[in-house]
Amino acid sequence: MSRRHLMPTTLLLLALPFAGACDGGGSGAPRGDSALRAAASGDEVLISTDNGLRLRPADGDHITVDDRIDGHWSHHGDRWTLDLDCADRDDQSCPRMPYVKIPDGAKITVTARNAGIDVVDVAAALDVTTVNGDVTVTHSGREHAPLRLVTRNGSVRATALQAGRLHASTVNGDVVMQCAAAPSGVTARTVNGSVDVTVPRDAPAYRVTMSTDNGRTATDVDAPDADRNRLMTLSTTNGDVTARRD
């Protein structure tokens, strides 16, 4: 799958329509038009929800929120926080997996709880965590940015990843990742499940550490003389561990 070329993006976060109410000391705002104009590198957006979340690409330079859910913005220093809830909505109309649309070049942290996180075509630095649900990612991340995918009761399944460094973990589930660009380092772990990491065919060798108590290990990317900064650490207790080129 081809990936669009990404130009470096400078992000400055300016909330609309409530920008005038936000000062450097921090403030909060109601949902408004559920849009955040993103234009400044280094600023962060934290998205918090008790349910799940779908991240999708924005059409322009705004973060936009599913209008079936309430989004409450707050601003503290260089971090914006978006809390999603349905406290003022009929439970039957509240989506379990609302969408948030993300512009290219953003830096996004997501914390969910009682459902999965699904990311498709989002060209951003990503740190996504849930407790009860799968993390699924397709054609997302940024080549020189970190990518962190975490759940506790569910699997991590990701394809066509772009990442400078890649971390994925769960307790009960598999970790399966296919990389479109070779990350400089990979850490992947589970307890009850398998770990399977695939890097591009032309990826350089890694110094690979693999472990399992009940399963098999296999790799074709390991070389003892690989660059000491190119590390791959993969582990499970019950399951197979595999690292390979595609």
Side-chain angles (χ1 to χ4, degrees):
M1 178 184 294
S2 63
R3 183 178 182 83
R4 61 183 181 274
H5 296 288
L6 302 180
M7 298 298 292
T9 303
T10 300
L11 293 174
L12 169 64
L13 295 178
L14 173 62
L16 298 178
F18 48 87
C22 300
D23 57 31
S27 62
R31 180 171 177 271
D33 66 355
S34 292
L36 183 71
R37 180 178 295 279
S41 175
D43 286 359
E44 302 177 8
V45 178
L46 170 62
I47 303 171
S48 176
T49 177
D50 283 337
N51 288 311
L53 192 66
R54 292 179 295 146
L55 296 185
R56 297 294 185 265
D59 293 332
D61 58 357
H62 289 67
I63 288 178
T64 56
V65 181
D66 195 325
D67 60 9
R68 297 170 299 168
I69 196 166
D70 295 319
H72 303 274
W73 288 103
S74 60
H75 180 209
H76 301 278
D78 62 357
R79 170 175 283 190
W80 290 92
T81 299
L82 171 61
D83 292 310
L84 301 177
D85 67 57
C86 284
D88 299 326
R89 304 267 177 144
D90 182 337
D91 287 344
Q92 293 184 350
S93 66
C94 182
R96 186 167 176 78
M97 294 283 290
Y99 68 78
V100 175
K101 295 186 176 181
I102 306 297
D104 288 0
K107 185 176 182 180
I108 304 296
T109 299
V110 176
T111 62
R113 184 180 299 273
N114 294 312
I117 300 172
D118 181 63
V119 185
V120 178
D121 289 336
V122 175
L126 296 169
D127 183 338
V128 300
T129 302
T130 189
V131 176
N132 299 307
D134 294 337
V135 174
T136 56
V137 181
T138 304
H139 199 237
S140 295
R142 296 181 67 194
E143 188 169 352
H144 300 293
L147 181 62
R148 182 173 179 270
L149 311 173
V150 177
T151 184
R152 182 180 300 169
N153 297 305
S155 293
V156 176
R157 299 185 183 278
T159 60
L161 296 178
Q162 301 275 357
R165 297 190 66 83
L166 180 58
H167 172 91
S169 65
T170 185
V171 175
N172 298 304
D174 297 329
V175 176
V176 180
M177 297 183 294
Q178 183 271 327
C179 301
S184 60
V186 179
T187 302
R189 64 175 182 265
T190 183
V191 176
N192 298 305
S194 295
V195 175
D196 190 328
V197 176
T198 305
V199 295
R201 184 170 303 177
D202 59 355
Y206 292 82
R207 298 189 180 198
V208 181
T209 301
M210 313 173 79
S211 65
T212 180
D213 291 344
N214 299 296
R216 297 176 296 178
T217 63
T219 181
D220 64 4
V221 302
D222 180 48
D225 59 350
D227 187 323
R228 67 180 61 233
N229 294 316
R230 301 194 70 84
L231 303 176
M232 192 177 289
T233 304
L234 314 177
S235 66
T236 186
T237 299
N238 300 302
D240 296 335
V241 179
T242 305
R244 56 190 169 184
R245 292 181 171 87
D246 64 11

